């Protein structure tokens, strides 16, 4: 078996339209290996994509890169993975950076795996007030007639406030059609579909001190038969002689067939 990753960066940016420029190109070839999408999905929270999408400083980070590649691309006789990589930037100065890979696993059953890393820095890279970083994994399985998408926020903030959260999408068009899209999770009374990872709420930590904590959370979910949304604000204020805790929350769940809804405050 064999894995080759080639990348090229540092050349003059190439305009490709709509304000985007091409700043990096590359590709991956993996012979007699398969893609472990479960390892990639778990690795969204641990930076595994760093070892695949334009890995920084590959000499210094070689042990980590080789370890991640062994786990993600498992030796499997007769399976091969190929695909291009691109690095795109948008804005002048750069406001958005996107690293993207489109990997195809052959022969049949054919799978298409999309890897993405997104970075948004506003109003500029030198002094960003808004910093959004997200890793994403998409999988199209033609034999199973399913598509999935997972994404997680990391090292993100608005001003000095930490921003976190996960999202997941599952869709199938075979004998048992399904559709599930969740940003930040589900209604507390809703049983998540099997195989879906636990999702962190979309949350903004406004204060996280010993004496004052303030946290805002939210979620939105759409399935084949439901629409769900909710939000929650939690506050804690503590002194040596006094502690105050409180929260305000609402959760709403609408089911289409049979029709049913529940709204809790």
């Amino acid at each position: 078996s064999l894995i080759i990753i080639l990348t090229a960066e540092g050349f003059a940016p190439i305009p490709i339209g709509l304000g985007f420029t091409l700043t990096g190109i590359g590709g991956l070839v993996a012979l007699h290996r398969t893609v472990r999408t479960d390892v990639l999905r778990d690795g969204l929270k641990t930076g595994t994509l760093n070892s695949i999408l334009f890995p920084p400083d590959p000499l210094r980070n070689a042990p980590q890169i080789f370890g991640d590649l062994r786990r993600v691309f498992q030796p499997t006789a007769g399976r091969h993975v190929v695909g291009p990589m691109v690095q795109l930037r948008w804005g002048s100065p750069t406001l958005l950076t996107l690293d993207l890979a489109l990997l195809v696993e052959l022969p049949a059953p054919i799978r298409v795996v999309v890897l993405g890393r997104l970075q948004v820095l506003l109003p500029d890279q030198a002094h960003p007030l808004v910093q959004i970083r997200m890793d994403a994994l998409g999988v199209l399985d033609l034999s199973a007639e399913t598509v999935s998408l997972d994404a997680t926020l990391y090292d993100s903030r608005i001003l000095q406030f930490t921003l976190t959260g996960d999202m997941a999408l599952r869709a199938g068009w075979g004998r048992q059609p399904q559709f599930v899209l969740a940003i930040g999770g589900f209604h507390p009374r809703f049983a998540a579909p099997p195989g879906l990872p636990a999702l962190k709420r979309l949350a903004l930590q406004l204060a996280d001190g010993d004496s004052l904590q303030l946290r805002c959370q939210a979620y939105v979910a759409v399935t084949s038969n439901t629409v769900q949304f909710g939000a929650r604000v939690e506050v804690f204020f503590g002194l040596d002689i006094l502690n105050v805790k409180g929260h305000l929350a609402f959760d709403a769940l609408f089911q289409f067939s049979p029709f049913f809804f529940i709204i809790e405050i």
Side-chain angles (χ1 to χ4, degrees), residues 85-86 103 158 210:
M85 300 181 191
V86 294
L103 307 180
I158 298 177
D210 294 332

Side-chain angles (χ1 to χ4, degrees), residues 109-153:
I110 297 175
R111 290 194 302 168
V112 179
V113 178
V114 179
L115 308 178
R117 305 192 71 218
L118 173 71
Q119 176 179 269
V120 177
L121 301 176
L122 301 173
D124 58 64
Q125 289 187 321
H127 303 93
L129 300 179
V130 176
Q131 176 175 291
I132 306 295
R133 289 190 171 100
M134 181 176 67
D135 282 2
L137 164 68
V139 181
L140 172 63
D141 193 323
L142 297 179
S143 62
E145 299 180 314
T146 60
V147 62
S148 67
L149 175 65
D150 296 88
T152 187
L153 292 169

Side-chain angles (χ1 to χ4, degrees), residues 29-46:
V29 176
L31 303 180
H32 295 292
R33 291 184 179 254
T34 187
V35 180
R36 289 283 306 276
T37 55
D38 56 334
V39 175
L40 279 172
R41 191 167 289 117
D42 294 338
L44 290 178
K45 301 181 184 298
T46 58

Side-chain angles (χ1 to χ4, degrees), residues 131-195:
Q131 176 175 291
I132 306 295
R133 289 190 171 100
M134 181 176 67
D135 282 2
L137 164 68
V139 181
L140 172 63
D141 193 323
L142 297 179
S143 62
E145 299 180 314
T146 60
V147 62
S148 67
L149 175 65
D150 296 88
T152 187
L153 292 169
Y154 70 96
D155 194 18
S156 299
R157 59 180 174 82
I158 298 177
L159 299 178
Q160 72 271 28
F161 309 125
T162 301
L163 179 66
T164 57
D166 300 327
M167 71 82 64
L169 179 146
R170 298 291 184 274
W173 59 89
R175 296 180 179 178
Q176 297 181 335
Q178 63 168 330
F179 179 83
V180 177
L181 171 63
I183 302 174
F186 298 93
H187 189 282
R189 295 178 182 263
F190 182 80

